[in-house]
Amino acid sequence: MTMTRRTAVQILAVTLAALPLTGCSYNKFVGQEEAIKAQWAQVENQLQRRNDLIPNLVETTKGFATHEESIYKDIADARARLLAAQSPGPSDEKIAAANQQTSALGRLLAVVENYPQLKANEQFNRLMDELAGTENRLATERMRYNERVQEYNTSRRQFPANLTAKVFGFKEYPFFQAPPDAKTVPKVNFSKPTGA
């Protein structure tokens, strides 16, 4: 009986000693989750800025490149999908919608290469400069978001914090990865467009 009481006291002592460690992990996860959410808000700010620029860019381009209706439809669909993504915070749905928009814009910019008179248009150039600045800020914010996610996901998998994560239901956050289209080299055609 003495041995059982001794074992129970040891287990109780180990449990009490481990409790502060669990609390530290919990607080760390809460802080890291808040950092991820704050960084995601920055990504969404830049995505919204890009969404605001797109209609002006498309309208300017339409005046010159009238035969490119499928690209305009893809851009409108991608923009609508991003605006309709309902889940709060970072989600696979929002990331996929943003990547679809990036791909559609890339196709539009490849088409622009066929219209030298469009590239000489002052309004188009101003919009392209704004879009380029937005894309640079968006890339920076995505990188910072991915850094926060990496820190959090790494902490979440380390022992003993992984036990705290499991007990309190801290989920893994998705990385913002480049769309599959980004891995292919864009095709630029410098020949004169038909009907121009």
Side-chain angles (χ1 to χ4, degrees), residues 44-108:
E44 285 187 325
N45 284 341
Q46 296 308 317
L47 288 171
Q48 184 60 49
R49 179 181 161 91
R50 180 168 73 178
N51 269 341
D52 294 343
L53 286 171
I54 287 173
N56 295 328
L57 184 64
V58 167
E59 286 305 313
T60 303
T61 307
K62 274 185 180 177
F64 291 91
T66 56
H67 299 43
E68 310 297 342
E69 288 300 317
S70 68
I71 290 176
Y72 302 136
K73 183 182 180 321
D74 290 348
I75 289 173
D77 290 346
R79 186 171 183 265
R81 185 175 169 209
L82 184 62
L83 292 172
Q86 293 298 317
S87 57
S91 69
D92 291 332
E93 177 187 19
K94 285 186 179 180
I95 290 171
N99 284 340
Q100 179 186 0
Q101 188 180 59
T102 299
S103 297
L105 279 174
R107 289 192 307 279
L108 176 67

Side-chain angles (χ1 to χ4, degrees), residues 15-188:
T15 304
L16 289 175
L19 280 177
L21 296 175
T22 303
C24 292
S25 296
Y26 179 84
N27 291 338
K28 183 177 181 179
F29 287 144
V30 169
Q32 288 176 328
E33 272 192 330
E34 290 305 313
I36 288 171
K37 290 174 185 175
Q39 194 57 54
W40 180 254
Q42 289 301 104
V43 170
E44 285 187 325
N45 284 341
Q46 296 308 317
L47 288 171
Q48 184 60 49
R49 179 181 161 91
R50 180 168 73 178
N51 269 341
D52 294 343
L53 286 171
I54 287 173
N56 295 328
L57 184 64
V58 167
E59 286 305 313
T60 303
T61 307
K62 274 185 180 177
F64 291 91
T66 56
H67 299 43
E68 310 297 342
E69 288 300 317
S70 68
I71 290 176
Y72 302 136
K73 183 182 180 321
D74 290 348
I75 289 173
D77 290 346
R79 186 171 183 265
R81 185 175 169 209
L82 184 62
L83 292 172
Q86 293 298 317
S87 57
S91 69
D92 291 332
E93 177 187 19
K94 285 186 179 180
I95 290 171
N99 284 340
Q100 179 186 0
Q101 188 180 59
T102 299
S103 297
L105 279 174
R107 289 192 307 279
L108 176 67
L109 298 180
V111 165
V112 166
E113 293 299 321
N114 291 329
Y115 297 91
Q117 69 275 27
L118 175 59
K119 290 191 290 185
N121 180 286
E122 184 179 323
Q123 182 182 3
F124 177 78
N125 286 329
R126 186 178 53 77
L127 288 169
M128 286 303 298
D129 286 345
E130 285 187 46
L131 184 61
T134 299
E135 291 299 321
N136 287 337
R137 285 189 285 278
L138 184 55
T140 300
E141 298 304 341
R142 278 188 282 210
M143 178 193 67
R144 290 177 181 161
Y145 165 78
N146 281 341
E147 287 172 351
R148 300 293 90 68
V149 168
Q150 179 191 13
E151 290 169 9
Y152 169 81
N153 286 344
T154 300
S155 295
R156 191 180 153 278
R157 293 180 59 208
Q158 293 174 336
F159 183 81
N162 62 345
L163 301 174
T164 304
K166 187 170 277 198
V167 168
F168 290 103
F170 287 101
K171 65 179 177 113
E172 186 170 341
Y173 279 87
F175 284 101
F176 202 128
Q177 297 179 345
D181 298 12
K183 296 175 181 140
T184 59
V185 178
K187 294 180 176 100
V188 178

